[in-house]
Amino acid sequence: MQDFKYYAPTEVVFGPKSESQTGKMVKKYGGNKVLIHYGGSSAERSGLLQKICDSLDAEGIKYVKLGGVVPNPRVSLVRKGVELCRKENVDFILAVGGGSVIDSAKAMSLGVLYKGDVWDFYIRKTFEKACLPIACVLTIPAAGSEMSDGSVITNDENGLKKDYCINEFRCKFAIMNPERTYSLPAWQTSCGAVDMMMHTMERYFSKDDDMDITDNIAEALLRTVMNSVKIVLREPENYRHRAQLMWAGSVAHNDLTGCGTTGDWATHNLEHELSGMFDVSHGAGLAAIWGSWARYVMHENITRFARFAVNVMGVPCDFNDAEATALEGIRRTEQFFASIGMPTNIHDLIGKDITDAQIEEMADKCSNGNTSTVGGLKVLKRDDMIAIYKMAK
Amino acid sequence: MQDFKYYAPTEVVFGPKSESQTGKMVKKYGGNKVLIHYGGSSAERSGLLQKICDSLDAEGIKYVKLGGVVPNPRVSLVRKGVELCRKENVDFILAVGGGSVIDSAKAMSLGVLYKGDVWDFYIRKTFEKACLPIACVLTIPAAGSEMSDGSVITNDENGLKKDYCINEFRCKFAIMNPERTYSLPAWQTSCGAVDMMMHTMERYFSKDDDMDITDNIAEALLRTVMNSVKIVLREPENYRHRAQLMWAGSVAHNDLTGCGTTGDWATHNLEHELSGMFDVSHGAGLAAIWGSWARYVMHENITRFARFAVNVMGVPCDFNDAEATALEGIRRTEQFFASIGMPTNIHDLIGKDITDAQIEEMADKCSNGNTSTVGGLKVLKRDDMIAIYKMAK
């Protein structure tokens, strides 16, 4: 068992009328002038932005707005936001949207107080931590950014996708209304479910076999997500199961499912190159390569893969053959992904064959030109990455 | 499903060497002059207090000490601590111990900044919230006070045991070293396990049947505690399972297991009168009456009791007879309590028969002279309380 720190200070306000508390919460956490950061026009059309503005008005809190965040959020917009915050003397950033918007808001919150360019953080040129307070009104459950310490930003000049993680990034509060997710398309709903499953599984598939409470909670969470996503795909306005998914997305990534375990994260690293190269949805990319990763690394801890098969995927345990049990678990996971419309190989993900040259390029990037590794359960070098990408073709 | 707020800001530092970080953590949260609050001499004898003092010295943080906290912590000592804090200009309170010490520290932290008597909070004479920052080095896992918002104090003048709950009571940080719990006697270990189970079960046995993720996590936690306590009773120095119990105690009471549910808490209320009258251990008192409470209220939500029986107690589901399944679950819970040395009736708890007059007196106190009720799954009046106490005789 690993020593651990657990820190999840975000105040969650969960329920259908939670948005009306936005103004009060901003006030509680000391905001006087807010930047409302969001994505496309759906936040406007749905009336959500107006509701938030009304709530801020009611508390006498001033605000400016900046929309336009896209999936795989761009550093160019972050820079624009930093300028706006400085010009308008913003002291609080409120993200209205999903993981991309929150990650973009986190980057801005750092950039405002930093003299150099905000990309410096993401390439480890600086390690400062001072940032404006951030909070969010969550509309897309998946990324878990509403309670996490991380931000992933894409540099639109060179296509690099990089992360920065500090506790100061944790949202002061997160407003969650499951009704806001009724309109999420099936594809995005499924991508989100895969993402939250993978946040749990990246922590679960670990060298460590002795943190029972964390493992048991992780398995409970995975079963819940698998059940609820099936139901909301049939019934998009099912409050109960939209709520399960929304809360599961937060719990999956607030570190609770990693207390005492080392974790792995190779699938996330391998996927970042896929979405960097092909601009595909993160969740779909994860589904496309997980099975290949699992088959490649499972012998590092075959009992854990067997346990997953039995406790999460409902495979009858073959007590004489852990490998057969493990493999059936991987197979059923892929079948589950397919059943919610997700790809389980790269061809289905990008709609065409991937070339060997593209695989080499991704492995180069993922290994920083064969100078670094990814993974915890099995440490993967460039050659391993190529092997997994090829298995997933 | 109920709307909910979730707020668990305590920074947890978990592992065998975590105590050496005490000084750094106090500094991080702004403490300059610390009151170290603790119970008996075991913290001195074990060398823990010295270790903490060394860690504070290393950061140049000054401190004074106040020991003497007893189970069911007394308001008299709290008042003494308040005087000491004022005299010494203490600005940070560090509890070293279990729930009683932390609850006592919480009460003090309020009292220092309040002009009147600290008991005023517990009898709802005032509702102020300003308090000094509190943190803890946990040595007895059970009460969950290290992450909870509550403090329960006993007034030694009139025997009343009352609580006060505010978010300001949540510890800034909690240092947890499972090795410190190796020396816990079997009785106290079992009492702790029952207490953490009941913190989960009081939230689980609810009118609500639709918060799947919370229910699934609660069941996972209960199974973990039941497994680990059996092992540590045989092997008191089993790090892995002492660690499960220590972390389970926090998660069981930081509200995670209650997100979206109403909860009940009648067993806790009924028990407070028992430990008030007979000064018995809280965990043992809970074990002594839970089964009687469960049989009395189970028809309010028989499917939930059946679910508990199947998913937690491993009872085969009788699909044609939910009541039989539910009853078998209650029976097995009592068998489990007995198997870890806990009483399952009041006679075994107090070592003699309880009189009808004593039962009436407890019911009077618990119902505030027949003016208030307890419970959420079934609302219990004075007569219901008497019936349950009699069932549990």
Side-chain angles (χ1 to χ4, degrees):
Chain A
M1 185 189 315
Q2 306 299 315
D3 298 351
F4 66 87
K5 285 202 174 192
Y6 178 73
Y7 182 54
T10 304
E11 187 167 352
V12 172
V13 187
F14 196 102
K17 297 202 176 94
S18 50
E19 297 125 3
S20 60
Q21 297 185 47
T22 310
K24 284 205 177 80
M25 294 298 287
V26 170
K27 197 169 194 177
K28 177 173 174 181
Y29 285 98
N32 295 300
K33 178 79 180 271
V34 175
L35 175 79
I36 303 175
H37 195 38
Y38 61 102
S41 56
S42 71
E44 279 166 8
R45 273 183 287 115
S46 70
L48 175 59
L49 272 191
Q50 192 52 53
K51 211 164 185 174
I52 290 167
C53 293
D54 292 346
S55 168
L56 293 170
D57 286 337
E59 300 295 325
I61 297 164
K62 297 204 181 327
Y63 51 85
V64 287
K65 293 188 251 181
L66 178 65
V69 182
V70 294
N72 300 320
R74 310 297 199 259
V75 74
S76 54
L77 186 68
V78 172
R79 288 175 183 140
K80 202 172 145 186
V82 166
E83 289 311 308
L84 182 62
C85 288
R86 285 177 183 156
K87 194 182 127 207
E88 298 282 345
N89 289 315
V90 162
D91 63 7
F92 197 101
I93 302 182
L94 181 70
V96 179
S100 298
V101 177
I102 303 170
D103 282 9
S104 183
K106 287 175 174 175
M108 267 181 214
S109 77
L110 266 180
V112 174
L113 303 184
Y114 176 63
K115 283 181 183 168
D117 177 44
V118 68
W119 188 247
D120 291 353
F121 294 95
Y122 293 79
I123 53 171
R124 311 291 184 264
K125 207 173 136 185
T126 179
F127 294 90
E128 288 181 38
K129 294 176 176 179
C131 60
L132 295 183
I134 315 146
C136 71
V137 178
L138 188 67
T139 61
I140 306 173
S145 189
E146 66 278 9
M147 289 187 85
S148 84
D149 66 348
S151 159
V152 181
I153 297 290
T154 297
N155 188 320
D156 19 5
E157 284 154 15
N158 56 23
L160 287 174
K161 187 172 174 179
K162 298 278 175 191
D163 67 350
Y164 192 65
C165 300
I166 49 171
N167 271 328
E168 289 73 6
F169 269 166
R170 297 194 192 264
C171 286
K172 297 297 176 197
F173 64 83
I175 303 242
M176 303 193 200
N177 173 3
E179 289 176 352
R180 292 287 164 193
T181 69
Y182 287 173
S183 57
L184 270 186
W187 170 261
Q188 225 173 329
T189 299
S190 294
C191 284
V194 173
D195 198 15
M196 48 187 96
M197 286 177 71
M198 287 304 307
H199 286 152
T200 309
M201 288 155 70
E202 296 271 31
R203 293 173 166 99
Y204 179 91
F205 287 104
S206 177
K207 284 179 208 165
D208 320 286
D209 265 331
D210 54 1
M211 193 61 187
D212 312 73
I213 181 169
T214 296
D215 290 337
N216 290 340
I217 288 175
E219 291 165 356
L221 196 145
L222 288 167
R223 291 191 303 265
T224 309
V225 170
M226 289 171 65
N227 181 56
S228 289
V229 68
K230 289 270 201 179
I231 294 170
V232 302
L233 288 175
R234 288 196 308 269
E235 305 166 23
E237 305 204 352
N238 185 313
Y239 182 84
R240 168 178 174 175
H241 291 285
R242 286 289 189 187
Q244 307 312 315
L245 291 178
M246 194 163 215
W247 187 220
S250 300
V251 176
H253 206 32
N254 76 3
D255 292 336
L256 183 76
T257 59
C259 291
T261 72
T262 319
D264 187 84
W265 297 100
T267 309
H268 261 76
N269 290 115
L270 292 166
E271 195 289 322
H272 277 180
E273 303 312 328
L274 272 172
S275 52
M277 186 175 281
F278 301 105
D279 206 20
V280 292
S281 293
H282 177 53
L286 293 168
I289 51 171
W290 181 80
S292 299
W293 168 83
R295 286 187 185 87
Y296 192 81
V297 307
M298 67 179 194
H299 290 101
E300 301 293 317
N301 191 345
I302 197 75
T303 54
R304 179 143 285 252
F305 279 90
R307 174 182 173 155
F308 173 80
V310 174
N311 289 354
V312 179
M313 303 310 300
V315 175
C317 185
D318 184 337
F319 288 92
N320 294 311
D321 195 342
E323 185 172 332
T325 310
L327 274 172
E328 180 60 19
I330 296 169
R331 217 171 285 132
R332 288 203 193 178
T333 309
E334 291 184 320
Q335 284 165 1
F336 169 77
F337 288 156
S339 78
I340 60 167
M342 289 286 103
T344 55
N345 58 60
I346 298 175
H347 183 275
D348 289 353
L349 174 71
I350 64 176
K352 61 184 177 192
D353 286 337
I354 189 166
T355 67
D356 287 352
Q358 287 170 322
I359 285 178
E360 302 246 340
E361 189 186 331
M362 289 197 299
D364 279 335
K365 282 188 181 168
C366 193
S367 65
N368 284 313
N370 206 7
T371 63
S372 65
T373 60
V374 300
L377 176 58
K378 182 178 170 69
V379 175
L380 304 179
K381 297 181 183 170
R382 183 177 177 279
D383 286 352
D384 301 305
M385 298 170 190
I386 289 175
I388 293 170
Y389 284 133
K390 286 194 173 173
M391 284 169 73
K393 267 173 116 172
Chain B
M1 185 189 315
Q2 306 299 316
D3 298 351
F4 67 87
K5 285 201 175 195
Y6 177 73
Y7 182 53
T10 305
E11 187 168 351
V12 172
V13 186
F14 195 102
K17 297 203 176 91
S18 50
E19 297 126 2
S20 59
Q21 297 186 49
T22 310
K24 285 207 176 79
M25 294 298 288
V26 170
K27 196 168 195 177
K28 178 173 173 181
Y29 285 98
N32 295 299
K33 178 81 179 270
V34 175
L35 176 78
I36 302 174
H37 195 38
Y38 60 102
S41 58
S42 72
E44 280 165 8
R45 273 182 287 113
S46 71
L48 175 59
L49 271 191
Q50 192 53 52
K51 212 164 185 174
I52 289 168
C53 293
D54 291 347
S55 168
L56 293 170
D57 286 337
E59 300 296 327
I61 297 164
K62 299 203 181 326
Y63 49 84
V64 287
K65 292 189 249 182
L66 178 66
V69 182
V70 293
N72 302 320
R74 311 295 200 259
V75 74
S76 53
L77 186 68
V78 172
R79 288 176 183 141
K80 202 171 145 187
V82 167
E83 288 312 309
L84 182 63
C85 287
R86 286 178 183 156
K87 193 181 128 208
E88 297 282 346
N89 288 315
V90 162
D91 63 6
F92 197 101
I93 302 183
L94 181 69
V96 179
S100 298
V101 178
I102 303 171
D103 282 8
S104 182
K106 287 174 175 176
M108 267 181 215
S109 77
L110 265 181
V112 174
L113 303 184
Y114 176 63
K115 284 180 184 168
D117 177 44
V118 68
W119 187 246
D120 290 353
F121 294 95
Y122 292 79
I123 53 170
R124 310 292 184 264
K125 206 173 139 185
T126 178
F127 294 91
E128 287 181 39
K129 294 176 177 180
C131 61
L132 295 184
I134 315 146
C136 71
V137 178
L138 188 68
T139 62
I140 307 174
S145 190
E146 66 278 9
M147 288 187 87
S148 84
D149 66 348
S151 159
V152 180
I153 296 291
T154 297
N155 188 320
D156 18 5
E157 285 154 15
N158 55 23
L160 286 174
K161 187 172 173 179
K162 297 279 176 190
D163 68 349
Y164 192 66
C165 300
I166 49 171
N167 270 328
E168 288 73 6
F169 269 166
R170 297 195 191 263
C171 286
K172 297 297 177 198
F173 64 84
I175 301 235
M176 303 194 200
N177 173 4
E179 291 175 352
R180 292 285 165 194
T181 69
Y182 287 173
S183 57
L184 269 185
W187 170 260
Q188 224 173 331
T189 299
S190 293
C191 284
V194 173
D195 198 16
M196 48 187 97
M197 286 177 70
M198 286 305 306
H199 285 153
T200 309
M201 287 156 70
E202 296 270 31
R203 292 172 167 99
Y204 179 90
F205 287 104
S206 176
K207 285 179 206 165
D208 321 286
D209 265 331
D210 53 2
M211 194 60 186
D212 312 74
I213 181 167
T214 296
D215 291 336
N216 290 340
I217 288 174
E219 291 165 357
L221 197 145
L222 289 167
R223 290 191 304 265
T224 309
V225 171
M226 290 172 65
N227 181 54
S228 290
V229 70
K230 289 269 200 178
I231 295 170
V232 302
L233 288 176
R234 288 196 307 269
E235 305 166 24
E237 304 204 355
N238 185 315
Y239 182 84
R240 168 178 173 174
H241 291 285
R242 286 288 189 187
Q244 306 313 313
L245 291 178
M246 193 164 216
W247 186 221
S250 301
V251 177
H253 206 34
N254 75 3
D255 292 336
L256 183 76
T257 58
C259 291
T261 71
T262 319
D264 186 83
W265 298 99
T267 309
H268 261 76
N269 290 115
L270 292 167
E271 195 289 322
H272 277 180
E273 303 312 329
L274 272 172
S275 52
M277 185 173 283
F278 301 103
D279 206 21
V280 292
S281 293
H282 177 53
L286 293 168
I289 51 171
W290 181 80
S292 298
W293 168 83
R295 287 187 185 86
Y296 192 80
V297 309
M298 68 179 194
H299 289 103
E300 301 294 317
N301 190 347
I302 196 76
T303 55
R304 178 143 285 251
F305 278 90
R307 174 184 171 153
F308 173 80
V310 174
N311 288 355
V312 179
M313 302 311 298
V315 175
C317 184
D318 184 338
F319 288 92
N320 294 312
D321 195 341
E323 184 171 334
T325 310
L327 275 172
E328 180 59 19
I330 295 168
R331 217 171 285 134
R332 288 203 194 181
T333 308
E334 290 184 320
Q335 283 165 3
F336 169 76
F337 288 156
S339 77
I340 60 168
M342 289 285 104
T344 56
N345 59 59
I346 297 174
H347 183 276
D348 289 353
L349 174 73
I350 63 175
K352 60 183 178 193
D353 285 338
I354 188 166
T355 66
D356 286 353
Q358 287 170 321
I359 286 179
E360 300 246 342
E361 188 185 332
M362 289 197 298
D364 278 335
K365 282 189 182 167
C366 193
S367 65
N368 283 313
N370 206 7
T371 64
S372 66
T373 60
V374 300
L377 177 58
K378 181 177 171 71
V379 174
L380 304 179
K381 297 181 184 170
R382 184 176 177 280
D383 286 351
D384 301 306
M385 298 169 191
I386 289 175
I388 293 170
Y389 284 133
K390 288 194 170 170
M391 284 169 73
K393 267 174 120 171

